[in-house]
């Protein structure tokens, strides 16, 4: 009998051999690639997806903070001639000396030039603070979470604390000092472990619904025009409306413009990413972003990111530089404690602190839950260093001149791509490092390219709502308030505050009754146990009546 030779074994691909080699190396063991069922190339892809989804922050954060005026002041304004045809030196009429009005429309040319320098400084500050935060998170916490200056807190910093072009009660320098001190307090709270205990006080229905609420928040951002596809616009009568409405239906107050780029993003980028998700294709988010960005970089089209306007021409000239290494000249180390004794300073500091405690901590827990790291006790591996990472990043960011740094909810994009270790965060850090040199390209990723991935991530994060006990109104109502307030108030913190407040109100009667029973003022009803979720259990009559609270 002739024995047939067994079929030759297929040689593993180069990627398979690379993944196997890295998994068995010290790097793979350090980051627990095998334990977390991930591979080296998966982590690289996840880090790429995370970075591309949050790359808009490079331009957006710098633009928002520049609206505060930064370090610019009246001294940067230049004298102007009453006859605009002549310079101040050759003025034949009256030379107008600058005053506070030079910072506002029409903005003085000297002040505008200062703002342009500040914006470039803030792009680099955003890159540097994000890079450091991602490095700490990846190397020490070993979690696939990226950090950058947070949306929402940057707007509060610029428009409420400092005010447009410095019109608020606190100067830019003093606001940085408030962020710096808040970061130190936040770091202390994290170091002694108090932050974890504060986070666990968040009621269960609020914790569960916060993930879905953040998903709706992301989708809402992706549907708008600032960081999205522009499908939703402002309405003077209904607050929001469909963005692509006919000209005759547009209100003259904050009119909505139907841009072709939003349409191409929704139809092309959204379809590409959605179809890849349906077919379970890895890198789904990246393909949509890259496709829309590539199309938008062609100039003479209706969907270009560089229209033939002054702003479009300036953006295109910056884009053509490709490589630009800019050093921070004015915002780094600009802290000032001159307002230390003023109430406005402490109001800003306390606000930054409670927003970071609720917002940042809530985001961390939601991302850990989304990645499947959360255990039954509400803890996750690397929790301590994760808390220390974003607290440290806040301090570093303030020294560079930017608003508080936080764990970015766009990290969910990388988690969706399979990121499960700190290599995802380190990959994002690597891209931020290259951003030092390629800021013109990355700052030119249009907002509408990021919109579809944000919407699709919102879809993915909605799955947590099935864990809410909707039949129990004491859980359902706080969960819904949390879920709905996050997108509609444009704040994760307000959603958490609303949910927690509602939970307390609905459980106040039970808690008061339990206290009175313990003090002996009231007697517990035999045969009934009432827990904090409003669930009633029958008990044997000889058992002592009890009231269980679940927080």
């Amino acid at each position: 009998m002739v024995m047939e030779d067994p079929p030759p074994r297929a040689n593993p691909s180069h990627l398979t051999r690379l993944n196997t080699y890295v998994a068995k190396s010290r790097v793979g063991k350090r980051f627990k690639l095998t334990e977390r069922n991930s591979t080296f190339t998966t982590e690289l892809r996840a880090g790429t997806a995370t970075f591309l989804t949050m790359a808009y922050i490079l331009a957006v954060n710098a633009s928002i903070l520049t609206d505060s005026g930064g370090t610019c002041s009246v001294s940067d304004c230049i004298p102007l001639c009453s006859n605009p045809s002549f310079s101040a030196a050759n003025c034949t009429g009256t030379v107008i000396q600058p005053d506070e009005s030079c910072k506002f429309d029409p903005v003085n040319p000297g002040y505008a030039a200062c703002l342009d320098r500040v914006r470039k400084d803030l792009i680099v500050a955003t890159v540097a603070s994000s890079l450091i935060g991602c490095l700490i998170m990846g190397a020490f916490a070993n979690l696939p979470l990226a950090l950058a200056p947070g949306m929402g807190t940057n707007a509060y910093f610029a428009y409420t604390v400092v005010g447009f072009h410095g019109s608020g009660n606190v100067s830019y320098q003093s606001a940085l000092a408030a962020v710096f001190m808040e970061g130190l307090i936040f770091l202390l709270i994290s170091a002694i472990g108090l932050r974890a205990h504060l986070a666990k006080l968040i009621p269960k229905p609020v914790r569960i619904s916060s993930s879905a609420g953040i998903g709706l928040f992301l989708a809402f951002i992706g549907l708008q025009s600032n960081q999205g596809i522009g499908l939703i616009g402002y309405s003077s009568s209904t607050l929001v409306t469909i963005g692509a409405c006919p000209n005759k239906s547009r209100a003259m107050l904050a009119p909505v413009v139907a841009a072709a780029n939003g349409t191409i993003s929704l139809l092309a980028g959204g379809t590409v990413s959605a179809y890849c998700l349906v077919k379970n294709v890895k890198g789904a988010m990246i393909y949509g972003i890259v496709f829309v960005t590539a199309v938008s970089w062609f100039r003479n089209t209706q969907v270009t990111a560089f229209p033939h306007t002054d702003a479009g021409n300036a953006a295109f000239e910056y884009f053509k530089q490709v490589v630009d290494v800019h050093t921070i000249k004015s915002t780094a180390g600009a802290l000032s404690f001159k307002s230390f004794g003023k109430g406005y300073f402490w109001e800003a500091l306390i606000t930054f602190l409670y927003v970071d405690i609720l917002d940042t901590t809530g985001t961390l827990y939601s991302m850990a839950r989304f990645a499947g790291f959360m255990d039954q006790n509400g803890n996750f591996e690397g929790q301590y260093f994760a808390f220390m990472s974003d607290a440290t990043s806040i301090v570093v960011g303030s020294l560079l001149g930017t608003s508080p740094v936080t764990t970015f909810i766009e990290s969910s994009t990388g988690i969706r791509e399979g990121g499960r270790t700190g290599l995802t965060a380190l990959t994002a850090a690597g891209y931020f490092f290259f951003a030092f040199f390629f800021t013109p390209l990355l700052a030119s990723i249009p907002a509408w390219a990021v919109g579809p991935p944000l919407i699709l991530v919102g879809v993915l994060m909605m799955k947590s709502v099935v864990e809410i006990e909707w039949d129990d109104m004491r859980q359902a109502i706080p969960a819904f308030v949390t879920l709905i307030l996050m997108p509609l108030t444009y704040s994760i913190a307000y959603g958490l505050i609303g949910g927690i407040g509602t939970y307390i109100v609905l459980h106040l009667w039970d808690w008061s009754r339990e206290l009175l029973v313990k003090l002996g003022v009231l007697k517990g009803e035999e045969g009934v146990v009432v827990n904090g979720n409003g669930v009633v259990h029958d008990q044997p009559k000889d058992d002592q009546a009890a009231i269980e609270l679940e927080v």
Side-chain angles (χ1 to χ4, degrees):
M1 184 175 180
V2 179
M3 299 293 294
E4 295 183 0
D5 295 332
R9 298 176 61 184
N11 292 326
S13 66
H14 295 296
L15 290 180
T16 301
R17 289 199 296 267
L18 174 62
N19 287 328
T20 302
Y21 173 78
V22 174
K24 294 180 179 179
S25 68
R26 294 180 61 183
V27 172
K29 294 177 181 178
R30 165 66 179 80
F31 289 98
K32 302 181 180 180
L33 285 173
T34 303
E35 294 180 32
R36 298 189 181 178
N37 195 28
S38 185
T39 64
F40 179 65
T41 53
T42 298
E43 297 296 314
L44 294 180
R45 184 176 64 246
T48 302
T50 298
F51 176 78
L52 288 177
T53 309
M54 63 186 293
Y56 72 87
I57 196 64
L58 297 178
V60 173
N61 185 63
S63 297
I64 290 175
L65 294 183
T66 300
D67 279 348
S68 71
T71 56
C72 300
S73 65
V74 177
S75 61
D76 294 293
C77 298
I78 59 175
L80 298 176
C81 181
S82 58
N83 185 346
S85 302
F86 297 92
S87 65
N90 301 318
C91 184
T92 58
T94 304
V95 176
I96 303 173
Q97 297 298 326
D99 55 19
E100 284 291 328
S101 64
C102 74
K103 300 188 295 182
F104 307 101
D105 195 29
V107 178
N108 184 281
Y111 192 81
C114 178
L115 292 178
D116 185 61
R117 294 191 299 270
V118 167
R119 184 177 183 274
K120 292 179 180 178
D121 282 356
L122 289 170
I123 288 178
V124 177
T126 303
V127 171
S129 58
S130 304
L131 167 62
I132 295 170
C134 290
L135 280 175
I136 299 173
M137 181 68 76
F140 294 97
N142 193 25
L143 291 172
L145 307 176
L147 292 87
M151 294 293 294
T153 50
N154 55 6
Y156 173 74
F157 180 101
Y159 302 121
T160 302
V161 178
V162 181
F164 182 73
H165 288 182
S167 58
N169 296 309
V170 180
S171 68
Y172 171 80
Q173 294 86 341
S174 295
L176 288 180
V179 174
F180 175 75
M181 290 185 61
E182 176 264 330
L184 291 179
I185 297 172
F186 200 39
L187 186 62
L188 177 62
I189 292 174
S190 301
I192 63 178
L194 181 59
R195 181 176 169 188
H197 293 294
L198 291 174
K200 288 181 181 179
L201 292 177
I202 299 176
K204 183 180 178 181
V206 177
R207 290 201 307 266
I208 294 174
S209 61
S210 63
S211 178
I214 290 174
L216 287 177
F217 184 30
L218 278 174
F220 190 51
I221 293 173
L223 287 168
Q224 297 177 58
S225 58
N226 287 339
Q227 289 90 39
I229 62 177
L231 187 62
I232 290 179
Y234 172 76
S235 169
S236 58
S237 57
T238 60
L239 190 61
V240 292
T241 186
I242 191 74
C245 60
N247 287 327
K248 62 181 181 180
S249 301
R250 297 177 192 161
M252 292 310 295
L253 178 62
V256 176
V257 179
N261 47 34
T263 304
I264 194 67
S265 175
L266 178 62
L267 296 180
T271 302
V272 169
S273 294
Y275 188 79
C276 289
L277 285 175
V278 170
K279 296 299 182 180
N280 201 28
V281 176
K282 300 296 184 182
M285 304 299 180
I286 300 176
Y287 297 142
I289 294 173
V290 171
F291 178 81
V292 175
T293 299
V295 172
S296 300
W297 279 353
F298 289 97
R299 187 154 201 208
N300 296 313
T301 67
Q302 291 184 329
V303 297
T304 183
F306 311 114
H308 289 284
T309 62
D310 291 341
N313 293 334
F316 186 64
E317 290 300 319
Y318 188 54
F319 167 73
K320 289 194 299 183
Q321 294 182 26
V322 181
V323 177
D324 177 40
V325 181
H326 180 81
T327 57
I328 300 178
K329 298 180 176 63
S330 62
T331 62
L335 290 76
S336 172
F337 293 90
K338 292 182 179 179
S339 301
F340 185 81
K342 297 182 179 179
Y344 293 114
F345 178 88
W346 288 99
E347 177 186 345
L349 188 153
I350 293 172
T351 303
F352 282 132
L353 182 60
Y354 92 76
V355 167
D356 279 330
I357 289 176
L358 295 177
D359 196 334
T360 306
T361 307
T363 303
L364 267 174
Y365 272 91
S366 296
M367 293 300 101
R369 186 182 189 85
F370 185 61
F373 295 147
M374 196 79 73
D375 61 23
Q376 59 183 2
N377 297 320
N379 298 314
F380 58 92
E381 186 179 357
Q383 177 176 285
Y384 178 79
F385 285 109
F387 289 157
M388 294 294 290
S389 298
D390 56 15
T392 303
S393 300
I394 291 173
V395 176
V396 173
S398 66
L399 294 174
L400 293 172
T402 188
S403 54
V405 177
T406 181
T407 301
F408 244 57
I409 49 183
E410 282 83 354
S411 300
S412 54
T413 307
I415 293 173
R416 173 60 184 81
E417 291 297 329
R420 290 296 182 273
T421 75
L423 288 176
T424 295
L426 292 180
T427 301
Y431 282 112
F432 277 117
F433 175 76
F434 285 114
F436 277 120
F437 309 98
F438 297 101
T439 302
L441 294 181
L442 296 171
S444 299
I445 295 177
W448 53 86
V450 181
L454 293 181
I455 296 169
L456 293 174
V457 168
V459 173
L460 297 170
M461 296 185 70
M462 284 300 295
K463 66 181 182 180
S464 65
V465 297
V466 300
E467 301 178 35
I468 300 171
E469 297 182 25
W470 292 106
D471 292 333
D472 180 359
M473 286 298 103
R474 298 194 191 189
Q475 287 205 53
I477 294 174
F480 180 77
V481 169
T482 302
L483 189 148
I484 199 67
L485 284 184
M486 284 187 181
L488 297 187
T489 62
Y490 218 75
S491 170
I492 296 172
Y494 289 154
L496 292 172
I497 292 171
I500 294 171
T502 306
Y503 185 89
I504 292 173
V505 170
L506 294 179
H507 290 79
L508 193 59
W509 172 262
D510 290 332
W511 292 342
S512 301
R513 179 177 174 79
E514 181 206 22
L515 179 61
L516 293 176
V517 169
K518 288 183 176 180
L519 294 176
V521 178
L522 292 179
K523 293 182 179 180
E525 297 180 12
E526 292 186 357
V528 177
V529 174
V530 183
N531 66 22
N533 296 322
V535 181
V536 179
H537 305 283
D538 291 331
Q539 295 290 329
K541 290 185 177 180
D542 57 349
D543 286 352
Q544 182 180 2
I547 297 175
E548 299 174 353
L549 295 176
E550 177 180 336
V551 178

